[in-house]
């Protein structure tokens, strides 16, 4: 809101001392502007009388009563007041937990206005949450609609209402109009001043709803405006258009031992148009694991390289980065594209030579991990940044690599768009391409839920697949045993599966603490079929492509997020054989965990999963860096 003089501290308001100001601070309220933006969570309609005989399912009574008598009982060792009142019909009890001082206020024989929430207990109508005011006393808390606010610390509804009222009395005239009158009229919106007044102290509930709609529209209007300006600034700032040599696509595709799917053709055509335009690309490429996103990215890299510019391809793990580098070398080097690989495990001498070559423009495509963020990584002419499994990178990390070029194009790839990215597509800051068609012969993975104690049934299915010549993964949330958590771990289960469950098959272990060369060797053994069962942590979530693996067993599946579960399941079903995913869960799990497992079981569609993830986790800050959490609107 464009407010004048509303940065005044709440401490300056009448009735707000340092203790109350401290309670306001815990709610993020420091100024008058913060206070007026602290909107009610609901309202109490105290205009019409509701006698005890008419108390409905909500239990609300709004009535004039007479105090009949006082009764006392002991609660937590203290003498506690119960005031019996009547509205002329059925009596009711006001139970004063911690408020026995009301004995001096609720005088037998006197009449009071009463608003409270009642329920039947011990054979009588009772309330321990109520407001009372003597009938003879003037009050602004009855005969009106009262706001109900979120509270904290020493704050009460009465204190907060009085503070808001004082702020409105002093500053309501300083509320400046933000939206044009024509737009307000077309959308039937209140003015800013009226909306702020009515959302706090509405004449009726309908006015409060209209005020909230007006403020919500204004907020979303500015959010959309920010996103639009950011997108427009990025998309109009390319120094010059490129000259792409599209024949490089024919040369690369002509060497492939398979045909591109229809969606791959469509997406690479769209990306090619953007790479050759004056508008920098900012695109999300979504598709389930195995659909061919990597090939599309490599074709885009070939196009950018043909224009004499460089490409950075980032992956979250060395396992995936090395696989991408090997794939890129196999597909792109035969057409003259120079490939480099950069990760933490690259030695000092090799790193120095590579960085010099990248700086000199002698490397066309650099594939790497977080090592690409390093300050000493400098490009001669970075034209395209590709981020694989983009949900594994933070917002600031993505910005850091983009800033190494002069407005480079950005291509994000994922099988499960994180909620933030999905929200950005809605708000227009990110274009989207989807590969839905899978290579011919692929079958959907059959997903099964299994409660703790049913492991033997799962093991039996896995054994059947192993005996048929296939392979399996077993994934655990921990590497080793925990003193605090009673859950299975990869190291212990590797020993048990090797010794007791599958003694006649070769079982190997892989996790992040192993040396990189050990991980590579064991993955190579698994890929060529020398290992039957791979016991792992989520390190195999990405970067593992073993078509012969048909079983994915995830123990303590309730401890994994939706994106991780979908990615892990995607490690199987990469060939024509039917594949299976078994999610073993504990009986004592949260409702949220149950929702996640239900979503994974019911769909294989990454976008559907991302939409559910958005509902559960929120989109985070669309103009900031937090990737989850509710929009603070």
């Amino acid at each position: 809101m464009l407010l004048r003089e509303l940065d005044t501290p709440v401490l300056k308001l009448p009735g707000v001392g340092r203790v109350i100001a401290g309670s306001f601070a815990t709610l993020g309220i420091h100024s008058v502007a913060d206070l007026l933006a602290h909107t009610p969570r609901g309202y109490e309609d105290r205009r019409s009388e509701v006698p005890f005989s008419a108390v409905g399912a909500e239990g609300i009574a709004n009535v004039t009563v007479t105090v009949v008598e006082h009764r006392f009982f002991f609660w937590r060792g203290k003498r506690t007041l119960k005031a019996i009142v009547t509205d002329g019909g059925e009596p009711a009890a006001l139970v004063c937990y911690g408020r026995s001082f009301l004995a001096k206020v609720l005088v037998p024989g006197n009449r009071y206005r009463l608003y409270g929430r009642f329920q039947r207990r011990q054979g009588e109508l009772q309330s321990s949450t109520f407001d009372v005011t003597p009938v003879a006393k003037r009050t602004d808390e009855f005969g009106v609609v009262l706001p109900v606010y979120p509270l904290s610390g020493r704050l009460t509804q009465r204190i907060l209402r009085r503070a808001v009222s004082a702020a409105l009395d002093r500053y309501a005239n300083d509320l400046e109009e933000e939206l044009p009158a024509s737009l307000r009229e077309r959308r039937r919106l209140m003015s800013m001043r009226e909306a702020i007044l009515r959302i706090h102290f509405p004449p009726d509930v309908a006015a409060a709803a209209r005020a909230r709609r007006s403020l919500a529209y204004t907020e979303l209007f500015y959010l959309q405006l920010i996103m639009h300006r950011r997108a427009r600034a990025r998309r109009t700032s390319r120094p010059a258009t490129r000259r792409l040599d599209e024949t490089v696509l024919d040369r690369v595709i002509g060497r492939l031992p398979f045909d591109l799917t229809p969606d791959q053709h469509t997406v690479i055509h769209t990306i090619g148009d953007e790479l050759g335009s004056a508008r920098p690309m900012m695109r999300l490429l979504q598709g389930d694991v195995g659909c061919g996103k990597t090939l599309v990215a490599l074709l885009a890299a070939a196009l950018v390289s043909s224009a004499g510019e460089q490409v950075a391809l980032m992956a979250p793990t060395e396992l995936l980065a090395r696989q991408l580098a090997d794939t890129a070398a196999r597909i792109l080097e035969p057409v003259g594209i120079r490939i480099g690989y950069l990760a933490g495990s690259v030695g000092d001498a090799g790193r120095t030579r590579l960085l010099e070559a990248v700086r000199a423009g002698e490397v066309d495509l650099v594939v790497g991990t977080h090592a690409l963020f390093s300050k000493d990584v400098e490009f001669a002419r970075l034209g395209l940044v590709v981020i694989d499994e983009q949900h594994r990178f933070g917002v600031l990390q993505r910005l850091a690599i983009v800033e190494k070029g002069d407005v480079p194009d950005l291509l994000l790839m994922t099988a499960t768009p994180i909620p933030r990215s999905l929200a950005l597509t809605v708000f227009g800051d990110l274009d989207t391409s989807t590969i839905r068609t899978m290579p011919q012969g692929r079958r959907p993975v059959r997903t099964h839920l299994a409660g703790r104690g049913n492991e033997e049934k799962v093991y039996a299915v896995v054994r059947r697949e192993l005996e048929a010549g296939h392979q399996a993964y077993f994934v655990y949330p921990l590497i080793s045993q925990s003193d605090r958590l009673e859950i299975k771990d990869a190291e212990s289960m590797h020993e048990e599966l090797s010794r007791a469950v599958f003694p006649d098959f070769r079982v190997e272990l892989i996790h992040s603490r192993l040396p990189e060369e050990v991980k590579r060797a064991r993955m190579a053994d698994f890929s060529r079929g020398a290992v039957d069962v791979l016991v792992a942590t989520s390190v195999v979530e990405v970067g593992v492509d073993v078509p012969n693996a048909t079983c994915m067993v995830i123990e303590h599946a309730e401890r994994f997020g939706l994106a991780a579960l979908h990615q892990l399941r995607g490690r199987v079903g990469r060939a024509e054989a039917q594949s299976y995913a078994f999610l073993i869960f504990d009986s004592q799990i949260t409702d949220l965990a149950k929702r996640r497992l239900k979503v994974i079981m019911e769909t294989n569609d990454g976008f559907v999963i991302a939409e559910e993830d958005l509902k559960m986790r929120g989109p985070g800050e669309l103009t900031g860096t937090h990737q989850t959490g509710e929009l603070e609107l």
Side-chain angles (χ1 to χ4, degrees):
M1 290 176 279
L2 300 174
L3 308 177
R4 292 185 285 113
E5 299 180 5
L6 295 195
D7 57 349
T8 303
V10 289
L11 192 59
K12 299 293 186 180
L13 293 173
V16 179
R18 294 195 176 278
V19 174
I20 296 302
S23 296
F24 273 126
T26 62
L27 290 172
I29 299 173
H30 304 280
S31 67
V32 171
D34 296 333
L35 179 62
L36 295 184
H38 187 67
T39 54
R41 58 177 172 82
Y43 299 90
E44 294 178 354
D45 191 344
R46 299 187 178 188
R47 294 173 300 164
S48 302
E49 286 223 349
V50 181
F52 293 145
S53 59
V55 170
E58 293 185 356
I60 298 298
N62 184 38
V63 67
T64 300
V65 299
T66 301
V67 178
V68 177
E69 63 174 323
H70 290 172
R71 298 175 187 171
F72 290 89
F73 64 98
F74 282 91
W75 176 73
R76 294 184 178 177
K78 295 183 179 180
R79 192 167 180 263
T80 301
L81 171 68
K82 179 192 285 188
I84 306 302
V85 300
T86 181
D87 62 355
E90 180 183 5
L94 305 181
V95 184
C96 306
Y97 296 113
R99 295 195 290 172
S100 290
F101 62 85
L102 288 177
K104 297 179 180 180
V105 177
L106 297 168
V107 179
N110 287 1
R111 300 179 69 231
Y112 300 84
R113 292 186 180 90
L114 166 70
Y115 182 93
R117 191 175 298 275
F118 288 79
Q119 56 183 319
R120 292 201 171 274
R121 285 181 176 175
Q122 300 171 344
E124 63 183 1
L125 200 61
Q126 288 188 0
S127 175
S128 59
T129 306
F130 57 86
D131 286 337
V132 290
T133 301
V135 169
K137 183 179 178 180
R138 293 184 61 184
T139 178
D140 56 2
E141 294 187 349
F142 285 87
V144 296
V145 176
L146 282 184
V148 180
Y149 297 95
L151 301 176
S152 179
R154 300 289 293 276
L155 294 177
T156 65
Q157 293 296 340
R158 186 164 294 169
I159 289 173
L160 219 158
R161 288 167 187 155
R162 288 177 178 173
V164 171
S165 181
L168 289 171
D169 288 343
R170 286 193 179 191
Y171 300 104
N173 290 330
D174 292 330
L175 292 165
E176 296 183 359
E177 198 49 61
E178 301 185 9
L179 299 181
S182 58
L183 179 59
R184 296 202 315 273
E185 183 177 350
R186 186 164 72 249
R187 298 296 183 183
R188 298 181 181 180
L189 305 175
M190 291 180 174
S191 67
M192 178 60 68
R193 181 177 182 277
E194 184 183 10
I196 290 293
L197 288 170
R198 296 308 181 213
I199 200 165
H200 288 290
F201 296 107
D204 51 52
V205 176
R210 189 178 168 213
R212 185 176 295 276
R213 177 178 174 274
S214 299
L215 294 174
Y217 183 94
T218 303
E219 239 177 357
L220 291 171
F221 178 88
Y222 276 105
L223 179 60
Q224 184 73 71
L225 185 62
I226 291 169
M227 303 296 291
H228 176 74
R229 283 177 173 172
R230 191 167 73 180
R232 187 175 64 178
R234 173 177 172 79
R235 290 169 177 170
T236 58
S237 57
R238 191 196 295 280
T241 57
R242 297 191 183 96
R243 288 189 175 183
L244 303 175
D245 179 8
E246 296 189 359
T247 63
V248 71
L249 294 183
D250 296 331
R251 297 201 303 273
V252 173
I253 294 172
R255 294 179 55 84
L256 297 175
F258 52 83
D259 294 328
L260 270 63
T261 65
D263 282 353
Q264 284 176 313
H265 277 293
T266 300
V267 172
I268 192 57
H269 178 74
T270 300
I271 291 175
D273 287 345
E274 286 189 312
L275 293 177
S277 74
R279 191 185 79 168
M281 177 178 69
M282 190 170 181
R283 181 165 294 278
L284 172 69
L285 175 56
Q286 190 272 347
D288 279 330
V289 286
C291 70
K293 299 186 298 296
T294 298
L295 178 57
V296 169
L298 294 180
L299 291 173
L303 278 173
V304 172
S305 297
S306 74
E309 297 181 37
Q310 294 167 295
V311 180
L313 199 168
M314 293 180 53
T317 66
E318 289 203 19
L319 203 63
L320 177 55
R322 187 170 291 276
Q323 177 180 307
L324 290 174
D326 291 342
T327 302
R330 187 173 66 253
I331 294 176
L332 299 182
E333 281 187 345
V335 297
I337 295 175
R338 299 162 295 182
I339 313 296
Y341 172 74
L342 182 63
S345 61
V346 176
D348 291 340
R351 177 186 176 90
T352 300
R353 287 195 299 272
L354 175 63
L355 294 183
E356 290 175 352
V358 172
R359 195 177 300 116
E362 297 169 358
V363 174
D364 301 308
L365 170 61
V366 184
V367 183
T369 60
H370 296 75
L372 289 174
F373 296 128
S374 302
K375 291 183 179 179
D376 58 352
V377 179
E378 299 176 5
F379 292 84
R381 194 181 175 195
L382 181 61
L384 171 65
V385 174
V386 181
I387 301 179
D388 199 10
E389 306 300 340
Q390 62 93 28
H391 62 283
R392 300 284 291 272
F393 291 93
V395 176
L396 295 179
Q397 290 177 317
R398 296 198 289 266
L399 290 175
I401 185 64
V402 169
E403 289 173 355
K404 289 182 179 291
D406 187 5
V407 197
D409 291 293
L410 178 64
L411 178 63
L412 308 175
M413 300 196 299
T414 186
T416 47
I418 62 172
R420 172 187 162 84
S421 294
L422 190 63
L424 287 177
T425 68
V426 174
F427 285 96
D429 192 52
L430 193 63
D431 295 319
T432 306
S433 291
T434 305
I435 298 178
R436 295 189 181 276
T437 53
M438 300 290 285
Q440 289 187 349
R442 297 284 179 90
R443 303 183 188 181
V445 177
R446 293 180 183 173
T447 305
H448 302 275
L449 300 181
R452 180 71 53 221
N454 291 314
E455 291 89 342
E456 291 300 326
K457 295 180 181 178
V458 174
Y459 295 162
V461 176
V462 173
R463 173 171 285 277
R464 183 194 68 197
E465 289 296 304
L466 296 178
E467 291 173 345
H470 297 301
Q471 295 161 277
Y473 301 90
F474 278 76
V475 176
Y476 300 87
L478 298 179
I479 294 175
S480 54
Q481 285 185 338
S482 169
D483 295 332
R484 294 176 300 166
L485 301 174
E486 294 185 2
I487 61 177
K488 295 180 180 180
D489 63 278
E491 290 180 340
S492 300
M493 289 306 299
H494 169 247
E495 182 179 350
E496 180 175 335
L497 292 173
S498 303
R499 176 179 48 81
V501 182
F502 304 114
D504 42 346
F505 294 95
R506 183 177 172 185
V507 182
E508 264 303 358
L509 173 68
I510 186 171
H511 55 71
S512 60
R513 292 181 193 166
L514 293 173
E516 195 62 33
E517 59 273 15
V518 174
K519 284 191 288 187
R520 287 203 303 270
R522 291 182 181 177
M523 278 307 311
D525 287 346
F526 188 62
S527 297
R528 63 187 177 84
V531 171
D532 303 298
V533 177
L534 189 65
V535 180
T537 58
S538 58
V539 69
V540 297
E541 180 182 326
V542 293
V544 180
D545 184 8
V546 181
N548 190 49
T550 58
C551 287
M552 168 59 72
V553 181
I554 307 172
E555 297 230 36
H556 298 288
E558 72 278 1
R559 292 181 170 271
F560 294 84
L562 274 174
L565 289 172
H566 185 57
Q567 288 279 9
L568 287 169
R569 176 173 58 184
R571 295 309 102 199
V572 296
R574 305 178 74 86
E576 297 183 0
Q578 180 62 59
S579 294
Y580 308 87
F582 300 95
L583 311 182
I584 302 175
F585 62 95
D586 192 85
S587 58
Q588 302 297 320
I589 63 174
T590 65
D591 291 338
L592 183 61
K594 290 178 183 177
R595 285 178 62 190
R596 287 200 300 267
L597 296 180
K598 186 172 184 289
V599 169
I600 288 293
M601 182 175 178
E602 291 179 348
T603 182
N604 282 281
D605 190 313
F607 253 118
V608 172
I609 291 170
E611 288 167 0
E612 291 301 319
D613 209 9
L614 176 64
K615 295 176 186 177
M616 295 181 198
R617 296 198 296 157
E621 296 176 346
L622 299 182
T623 57
T625 59
H626 292 293
Q627 302 196 69
T628 60
E630 293 301 319
L631 281 173
E632 294 185 1
L633 299 177

